[in-house]
Amino acid sequence: MELKYFAPKKVTKQSYANELSAVQDKLRLGVFYGLCPQKKIKLESDERIENEDEGGEFSHPVPWQKIEAEGLDCDYALLFSKEEAHHLFKQLEEEVVYSTGEEAKVQLFGKVHNIPRKQATYGDAGLTYTYSGVTRLACPWTQTLEYIRDAVTKTTGQTFNFVLVNRYKDGQDHMGEHRDDEKELDPLCPIASVSLGAPRDFIFRHRDARGKQSHRQIKPVKLELAHGSLLLMNSPTNTFWYHSLPVRKKISLPRINLTFRRILLGRKK
């Protein structure tokens, strides 16, 4: 199949959604990795959007892959080169201070457990984020976190005021199935996940196909998140799909994941 690439052009914010939808329809490629009949991958053109409110542009265009299933809408791209990703990982290892004590624990089904990875929260002054029964206060942005945040903004056109940092020392560290659906999150803003370090499997599972009480046969969606990659989880993904980072015993190298979010001030938790 011959792919057509569209030259970058400026479009207004008002017409951007309609034009992008038309481009996506023209570049639809079919089944992605053969993992899920409903899931498809699309290449998107490098578009620049003129933001009528802020005057900004997509100044860091990258080739996107669109990942879709029923109620799942994600975009995936390599944001940083291997060399830059190595440098950013090293800088984060020096800068990030991870939670200890009670903040290093999580409440599940009324019981308190140690988190099977290291965590830290950074963001704009005064922001807090509550999940799994624990409220965390954002530390001030570090220089490297600001740099990565700004790179994500330049690539996506979205702004973020908070980031959750997860460090996995090896394949034994993991993250269980959950949804990022807390009420203080802006529902119109995607969650931007940047991966640095060891590639890890990332699995989506539909809420109707989980556990013994599942009543639908919907195949999980499995991705491998590469070093320097960016995954955008767009609405309504976190309404219908749980995601996890399972144990992978053969992996011996560390991984740092940054999930950038936009928290709404004054939103009731």
Side-chain angles (χ1 to χ4, degrees), residues 21-172:
S21 178
V23 170
Q24 291 172 344
D25 289 339
K26 292 178 182 179
L27 296 177
R28 201 175 296 270
L29 294 180
V31 178
F32 177 55
Y33 288 161
L35 291 171
C36 180
Q38 299 97 337
K39 184 174 60 162
K40 297 181 179 179
I41 178 174
K42 296 180 287 189
L43 299 181
E44 296 179 2
S45 61
D46 290 339
E47 297 272 352
R48 292 185 180 181
I49 179 174
E50 180 179 328
N51 189 314
E52 296 174 332
D53 298 325
E54 300 176 359
E57 292 183 353
F58 289 169
S59 56
H60 187 179
V62 295
W64 289 100
Q65 296 176 346
K66 173 65 77 173
I67 302 165
E68 292 181 312
E70 178 186 328
L72 184 146
D73 180 2
C74 293
D75 297 285
Y76 180 80
L78 288 178
L79 180 61
F80 300 111
S81 68
K82 184 177 180 179
E83 293 74 17
E84 186 171 17
H86 282 335
H87 173 71
L88 294 172
F89 183 92
K90 182 179 178 181
Q91 291 299 112
L92 291 176
E93 290 282 71
E94 297 176 359
E95 294 178 5
V96 175
V97 178
Y98 293 96
S99 301
T100 58
E102 292 301 314
E103 287 193 349
K105 298 181 180 181
V106 63
Q107 183 175 327
L108 296 173
F109 305 109
K111 295 183 178 181
V112 177
H113 304 268
N114 291 324
I115 299 175
R117 59 195 175 276
K118 289 184 177 180
Q119 285 191 328
T121 51
Y122 288 81
D124 292 355
L127 284 182
T128 61
Y129 183 47
T130 301
Y131 62 98
S132 300
V134 179
T135 298
R136 291 169 171 83
L137 177 66
C139 298
W141 294 99
T142 72
Q143 184 176 359
T144 303
L145 288 174
E146 280 190 328
Y147 174 84
I148 298 173
R149 178 202 64 195
D150 292 346
V152 174
T153 292
K154 291 176 182 178
T155 302
T156 65
Q158 297 283 351
T159 58
F160 305 90
N161 57 11
F162 185 90
V163 64
L164 174 64
V165 184
N166 282 293
R167 186 187 188 277
Y168 304 82
K169 68 179 185 300
D170 54 29
Q172 295 283 1

